[in-house]
Amino acid sequence: MKDWKKEYNKKLCTPSEAVKKIQKDYRVIIGHACAEPSIIIDELVKNKKFFKNIEIIHMVAMGKSEYASEENKEYFRHNALFVGGGTRKAVNSPYGDYTPSFFFEIPNLFKKGASLEPDVALIQVSAPDKHGYCSYGLSCDYTKAAAENAKIVIAQINKNMPRTLGNCFIHVNDIDYIIECDTPLIELKPPVIGEVERKIGEHCASLINDGDTLQLGIGAIPDAVLTFLKEKKDLGIHSEMISDGVVDLVDAGVINNSKKTLNPNKIIVSFLMGTKKLYNYIHNNPEVELHPVDYVNNPFVAAQNDNLISINSAIQVDLMGQINSESIGHKQFSGTGGQVDFVRAASMSKGGKSIIALASTAAKGTVSKIVFKLDEGAAVTTSRNDIEYVITEYGIAQLKGKTLRERAKALIAIAHPNFREELTKQALEKFGNL
Ligand code: COA
């Protein structure tokens, strides 16, 4: 496209000019996770008096999330697709909402005429290349679909945003208002891995073979798994997201993607959360491709990877193998995210395995995460029909193809010893014998 530079200059504006294009009752979708456009969001909140009843849709919110605070409720209403620390209070109050969805289906909800069609997309992207294309950088997932379907696209173009490759570009001509910046990117520090996570990681690693393709969720358990994979060979990645831990295994030659049956020799992801270590590695690196989440997480796509191993976590597992990964009783704690997308993909993948890995207890050992029945109000994230492996620090329970009685027995065996007697009593009341 020849004259994109002229267009670029015409579109340059201040954050305050840009946000004033947002009108009463508009639906605004904010770019995801570490690519959150913080300058535009801050400006939105600063100018709140100009707005009325703006619906803010966001998923993993990493910033201050002031749009979700009670004092701003007459200007903004938060509709969360995933919940975090900054948005949890709003989502569980009269002034906020949560919309359940599989992550891979979210871009469909943004399409013209669909239930979450956006008026405005607020995004943060890389500087344009010589052809005028900006990379979505750290987050392609639903952000690309939001920008492609919104009436108005406001982009924060950050000199520090890495240029990631794949199906993750937007042309300057498709952006309406541009704000230039060079602010530091949001980082997610590596989690602390304790003894419990180490044991869980070791059990998970025992199910992973040379040549497997991995999907890893976020947090201490996936990172612990990676530390036990140093002796493996030819691993691949097809994952909703990755963080710093993957870089060490790429450097060590353990992850080389050579045996992948879909997109061989490439790491395929939808978003990235880490530190400069990860961001430097992915910049302009053809080894890593970002694609929209309706490709990466689509179970029919991901399942084309033979030997796909998915590893995710949970809040509660009941003795039938129903997995609650997102609520504490009636309280929406996080979200469905891509868990079910990958549980199903792994189950359809030739040689695949899906793992739910969790500590056996919460709240300093006072609460068992393996329970006879889920708490009242809890959501079933992964159904008992989908579940395959559950892992705690006490071992591995393989549930697929097992009866309800066998499942109860296998799950009690990996519960914390302090809770096994009570769980056994409850199971015996139900089954008569075990
Ligand atoms: N009862 C009461 N409280 C519980 C609990 C339970 N059964 N399970 C967890 N909690 C509390 C913990 O005590 C902890 O509280 P704190 O923050 O006050 O310490 C908090 O909930 C978080 O628990 P933890 O187990 O440390 O969470 P995590 O960071 O490992 O995340 C999930 C676990 C399940 C919340 C997270 O993996 C998730 O949101 N999953 C759903 C989406 C998904 O799987 N996506 C995958 C693709 S990326």
Side-chain angles (χ1 to χ4, degrees), residues 82 215-218 240-241 312-316 325 328 333-339 362-363 367-369:
F82 196 88
Q215 176 265 329
L216 299 157
I218 184 174
E240 173 180 314
M241 58 87 67
N312 294 292
S313 196
I315 287 175
Q316 272 187 330
S325 303
I328 298 183
F333 182 82
S334 59
T336 306
Q339 178 167 124
V367 175
S368 177
K369 289 191 168 197

Side-chain angles (χ1 to χ4, degrees), residues 109-165:
L109 301 176
F110 295 168
K111 293 216 169 117
K112 305 280 176 218
S115 51
L116 298 182
E117 180 183 344
D119 295 297
V120 180
L122 307 180
I123 62 174
Q124 178 170 221
V125 293
S126 77
D129 61 20
K130 65 178 182 182
H131 305 290
Y133 285 93
C134 303
S135 166
Y136 281 96
L138 300 181
S139 152
C140 183
D141 45 66
Y142 72 60
T143 310
K144 188 167 185 279
E148 285 171 353
N149 290 293
K151 292 202 268 279
I152 300 174
V153 177
I154 303 177
Q156 183 173 314
I157 292 194
N158 192 335
K159 283 188 185 142
N160 296 318
M161 180 63 97
R163 183 173 182 270
T164 52
L165 308 178

Side-chain angles (χ1 to χ4, degrees), residues 22 25 32 40 46 59 62 68 133 182 187 200 212 235 242 283 300-301 331 353 381 387 405 429 433:
I22 298 172
D25 299 329
H32 189 49
I40 310 175
K46 202 166 121 197
M59 204 161 162
M62 297 290 289
Y133 285 93
D182 58 359
E187 294 191 8
I200 295 170
D212 285 352
L235 296 179
I242 52 170
H283 178 62
F300 293 104
V301 173
K331 194 170 161 191
K353 298 179 190 123
T381 311
I387 188 69
R405 185 180 277 104
E429 270 167 31
N433 59 41

